[in-house]
Structures are given as C-alpha cells and as structure tokens.
Amino acid sequence: MSRKNKKRDRKYSGADAAASKPNITRVTAVVRSPLGEWWHENKKRVKLIAMIAGGIVIFGYLIYEFIRIIN
C-alpha cells in the first residue's frame, strides 16, 4: 500500500496568495403592478399563442377569399 499525501494545513503566503475578497451582489426588486407581474411571467407564452392565432386567422381569411373567387 502506498502512503497517502498529507493534506496541506498551512496558509499560502506570497504575492500570489492574496486573500480574495468576498463578492457582494446587490439585488434590487422591480416594483410592478399585478398586471405587469403577470405579463413578465407569461410574455413568451402569450406571444406564441397570439402568433399561432394570428396565423390561423390569416390562413382562414385566405381560404375564404379563395373560395369566394372560385364561386
């Protein structure tokens, strides 16, 4: 069995061993109305549904006009 290396228990010293300062992250909350909060949470979903619904309406209108031209 080989001998395990001893863990280092001394602090590093020298120019490269500067103690790192703790990072402080300041967070501020945005004040939103209930409607604004809902929009912020559901924006992607609402835009996707609106694009799909708009495409269906445009496609339906084109089919309607095509049928009207034929008749």
Side-chain angles (χ1 to χ4, degrees):
M1 249 193 300
S2 63
R3 186 177 150 219
K4 285 188 172 183
N5 291 341
K6 181 181 174 187
K7 291 184 181 176
R8 183 178 176 91
D9 58 357
R10 256 189 302 164
K11 291 189 176 185
Y12 288 99
S13 59
D16 297 337
S20 61
K21 295 179 183 176
N23 292 333
I24 299 173
T25 305
R26 299 193 190 282
V27 179
T28 56
V30 177
V31 179
R32 291 190 176 99
S33 66
L35 180 63
E37 185 72 26
W38 181 87
W39 176 253
H40 183 71
E41 292 174 0
N42 298 300
K43 187 187 309 185
K44 280 187 175 180
R45 191 176 311 141
V46 170
K47 285 184 176 182
L48 178 66
I49 292 170
M51 282 193 286
I52 291 171
I56 291 171
V57 167
I58 291 172
F59 187 70
Y61 178 73
L62 291 175
I63 290 175
Y64 168 74
E65 286 296 323
F66 180 71
I67 292 172
R68 203 176 74 148
I69 290 171
I70 291 175
N71 292 336

